[in-house]
Amino acid sequence: MIDAQVLPTPIGPLSLLVREGVLVAGGFTAEPKEMYARLAPELRAEGLDVVDDLGPAAQAVRDYLRGDLEALDAIPVEQPGSATRKRLHQALREVKAGDTVSYAELAERAGLPRTAARAAGSACAQNLIAPFVPCHRVLPSTGGYGGYYYGAPVKEWLLAHEAGRLSATL
């Protein structure tokens, strides 16, 4: 069974889905079924149960919002993808809060040539575990914030929070 919880955040509800203590999906939506629908069929076959408290994953979000910007790093995550995509997602997890990288830099950090920037962009677009796999920390080299699955205002808020330019009270 996959357990889900919806947490309030200053930028809207955050749905988390956990399977056997491992975070398999996370996204800024009030409806866990939206995240569940993006999972692989074999995971969806296990069923979904909305619970009151996911434990460590939920606590990590609360700690992150209160200023412990490394809290999300301790939560184990797992999502599908090729070996290259998994390397890119791991490289994303190694980008520290308050830092940003370009798509080319992300590719390089994953051991790929800088010309693999398109693969890095695809890995971000297919990321199922925001903000734990922090694709919001990737910015286009041409400037601006670029795209973000949950919208530019969410990405901007996350970056401002991590840069210490605002505070969240929960």
Side-chain angles (χ1 to χ4, degrees):
M1 184 66 68
I2 295 173
D3 292 326
Q5 181 180 357
V6 180
L7 297 163
T9 79
I11 47 175
L14 175 65
S15 289
L16 302 179
L17 281 65
V18 171
R19 178 182 178 262
E20 298 176 0
V22 176
L23 191 65
V24 295
F28 291 94
T29 175
E31 185 49 65
K33 288 181 182 177
E34 289 179 21
M35 298 307 305
Y36 183 71
R38 295 179 66 198
L39 294 176
E42 59 271 15
L43 287 179
R44 289 194 314 266
E46 294 183 18
L48 180 68
D49 185 30
V50 177
V51 299
D52 291 332
D53 187 9
L54 284 177
Q59 187 59 49
V61 169
R62 289 188 286 270
D63 292 344
Y64 169 81
L65 292 171
R66 289 186 183 117
D68 179 358
L69 300 179
E70 296 178 2
L72 304 181
D73 300 342
I75 302 302
V77 301
E78 183 179 322
Q79 60 184 316
S82 66
T84 297
R85 182 166 292 158
K86 288 178 186 248
R87 284 175 35 204
L88 286 160
H89 285 159
Q90 182 57 42
L92 269 170
R93 289 204 89 190
E94 294 167 5
V95 177
K96 296 295 177 199
D99 292 339
T100 59
V101 296
S102 69
Y103 293 102
E105 289 168 332
L106 177 62
E108 195 170 69
R109 287 178 179 217
L112 303 169
R114 291 181 69 85
T115 56
R118 186 168 289 188
S122 176
C124 287
Q126 298 301 316
N127 178 23
L128 297 177
I129 310 177
F132 293 78
V133 178
C135 51
H136 64 274
R137 296 179 189 153
V138 182
L139 300 175
S141 58
T142 56
Y145 286 101
Y148 188 62
Y149 190 87
Y150 301 101
V154 173
K155 184 173 187 171
E156 291 174 31
W157 188 94
L158 291 166
L159 291 172
H161 173 63
E162 293 177 357
R165 295 193 308 261
L166 47 88
S167 63
T169 55
L170 294 179

